[in-house]
Amino acid sequence: MNFYILDDDISTRKMLQRIIREELLGDVIGDGADPIESEKEIIHLQPDVVLVDLLMPFQDGIETVQHLIEKHFQGKFIMISQIENKEMVARAYQTGVEYFIHKPVNRIEVTAVIRRVIERIKMEQSLLKIKESLNLLPITSEVKQHRKPNTIQLTQEILSDLGILGETGSKDMIEIMNYLLHQNIDLKNISLKSLYVQILNNENIDPNEKNIKALEQRLRRAINQAMTNLASLGLTDYAHPKFEHFATKFFDFHEVRLKMNEIDEKKTPRTSRVNIRKFLHALYVEVKSRL
């Protein structure tokens, strides 16, 4: 793999270069301290992976990543960060950054993260080759129909990844996703109460205040359990793909960190603040993207 290192700290750049060379991870084909100038070089060199510092003068790492993506750069990004600002970390994930290395740079962490990225790139390349091979084969309309994604199955798959498929509220989530996607309704355009009423009506349940509150409580308990599951996973493996993928998309990362600390220190469980709308909207986007 070819790497480009963008960091205004020369000692960090040299240390990363040394680790990549000594651990036989690939070749560093370029490095820089000025994000604006480095953008042009990265586009020209087309490295497989860009290691980019989060905080730099003139332009931060998130802006740099955004610019490169807008210019159709296809490589992977690893963000180098020494801060615990969860909002900025969440922004980085939303921009397209999938992996983080923390300062001060640690050889073990750097090696583990880079190897994980290399595995991801190789897997994507293999899948692309398989897809290209399959595209050469004739597919009958019957097979195409059989392969058509199913909203319910996709929702179940995601809830299973979150470890809450067996929760009572998961059934309500499946009904909600099925309704929104089949009616082509964006969650941003409907109030939660209206949505609850519609779901209860679809199930022939009286949409009175008691039943609406019960539905909301089922959702809240399931979402809270999903957060607990992710927090436990994050404690075991902070760089686990499921933790990286779901933690910031489905939750306020600050709340996830509090839950992680609570589990780690064996504190009495507190009632976490879960944002039902944020969770459902993230689930809606996730299911829709897989259809």
Side-chain angles (χ1 to χ4, degrees):
M1 296 292 161
N2 292 326
F3 297 85
Y4 189 97
I5 303 170
L6 174 54
D7 194 308
D8 59 316
D9 180 8
I10 188 170
S11 63
T12 299
R13 296 204 306 274
K14 287 184 175 181
M15 190 176 299
L16 289 169
Q17 286 182 38
R18 186 168 64 252
I19 293 171
I20 290 170
R21 182 180 67 251
E22 292 176 356
E23 296 294 333
L24 306 178
L25 299 172
D27 298 317
V28 177
I29 59 173
D31 69 281
D34 184 333
I36 298 171
E37 287 300 316
S38 290
E39 279 182 21
K40 302 172 187 174
E41 196 172 11
I42 290 168
I43 294 298
H44 173 69
L45 294 173
Q46 288 295 309
D48 299 296
V49 182
V50 176
L51 293 93
V52 54
D53 190 19
L54 179 57
L55 296 180
M56 293 181 289
F58 309 117
Q59 180 175 285
D60 66 37
I62 296 174
E63 292 175 300
T64 303
V65 170
Q66 286 175 328
H67 293 167
L68 289 169
I69 291 174
E70 288 167 4
K71 293 173 182 174
H72 308 293
F73 175 68
Q74 298 295 314
K76 298 292 183 185
F77 298 100
I78 299 176
M79 191 70 81
I80 309 165
S81 169
Q82 63 183 359
I83 63 170
E84 290 294 323
N85 187 318
K86 302 310 173 187
E87 288 73 22
M88 289 195 75
V89 171
R91 274 183 58 214
Y93 276 117
Q94 291 166 357
T95 302
V97 177
E98 298 177 84
Y99 302 91
F100 277 81
I101 288 172
H102 301 92
K103 286 186 177 180
V105 170
N106 175 286
R107 177 182 288 265
I108 295 174
E109 182 187 22
V110 171
T111 304
V113 171
I114 289 179
R115 282 182 176 155
R116 193 172 295 114
V117 175
I118 291 172
E119 288 172 9
R120 174 76 175 271
I121 292 172
K122 288 181 177 178
M123 182 184 71
E124 289 178 356
Q125 289 172 344
S126 297
L127 290 174
L128 183 60
K129 288 179 181 177
I130 292 169
K131 187 176 179 181
E132 288 172 349
S133 300
L134 290 174
N135 284 338
L136 297 174
L137 300 174
I139 301 176
T140 64
S141 58
E142 183 181 349
V143 173
K144 287 180 180 177
Q145 181 68 26
H146 179 69
R147 289 181 181 176
K148 187 176 181 181
N150 180 290
T151 303
I152 293 175
Q153 291 174 340
L154 289 174
T155 308
Q156 289 174 332
E157 180 183 306
I158 296 164
L159 296 180
S160 178
D161 283 342
L162 291 167
I164 57 170
L165 187 56
E167 295 291 320
T168 309
S170 67
K171 179 178 178 295
D172 300 302
M173 292 178 189
I174 292 168
E175 292 294 334
I176 289 171
M177 293 303 115
N178 201 37
Y179 169 71
L180 292 173
L181 288 158
H182 278 85
Q183 298 298 321
N184 197 26
I185 299 172
D186 194 319
L187 188 59
K188 293 184 291 188
N189 300 324
I190 185 172
S191 70
L192 286 181
K193 185 170 183 179
S194 299
L195 180 60
Y196 298 158
V197 169
Q198 185 62 53
I199 297 304
L200 290 171
N201 280 330
N202 290 350
E203 296 178 347
N204 295 317
I205 298 173
D206 183 11
N208 56 39
E209 288 298 322
K210 181 181 177 182
N211 288 330
I212 289 174
K213 188 173 181 180
L215 189 156
E216 186 170 71
Q217 286 301 316
R218 291 195 298 271
L219 291 175
R220 194 177 298 280
R221 282 195 295 269
I223 294 170
N224 193 57
Q225 186 59 51
M227 181 192 290
T228 301
N229 294 342
L230 282 175
S232 299
L233 182 60
L235 280 174
T236 306
D237 182 2
Y238 194 80
H240 193 286
K242 285 184 184 179
F243 180 78
E244 291 182 338
H245 184 72
F246 292 119
T248 54
K249 285 186 178 180
F250 283 69
F251 299 99
D252 178 344
F253 196 76
H254 176 68
E255 285 294 316
V256 178
R257 287 291 297 178
L258 289 176
K259 179 63 73 173
M260 289 170 71
N261 292 337
E262 176 187 294
I263 296 170
D264 189 38
E265 297 171 12
K266 295 181 173 59
K267 294 180 180 177
T268 303
R270 64 183 183 86
T271 303
S272 301
R273 292 186 299 173
V274 294
N275 187 328
I276 295 177
R277 177 175 286 278
K278 177 181 175 68
F279 182 93
L280 291 178
H281 186 261
L283 182 59
Y284 170 85
V285 171
E286 186 74 15
V287 174
K288 194 172 183 179
S289 71
R290 299 189 188 188
L291 283 171

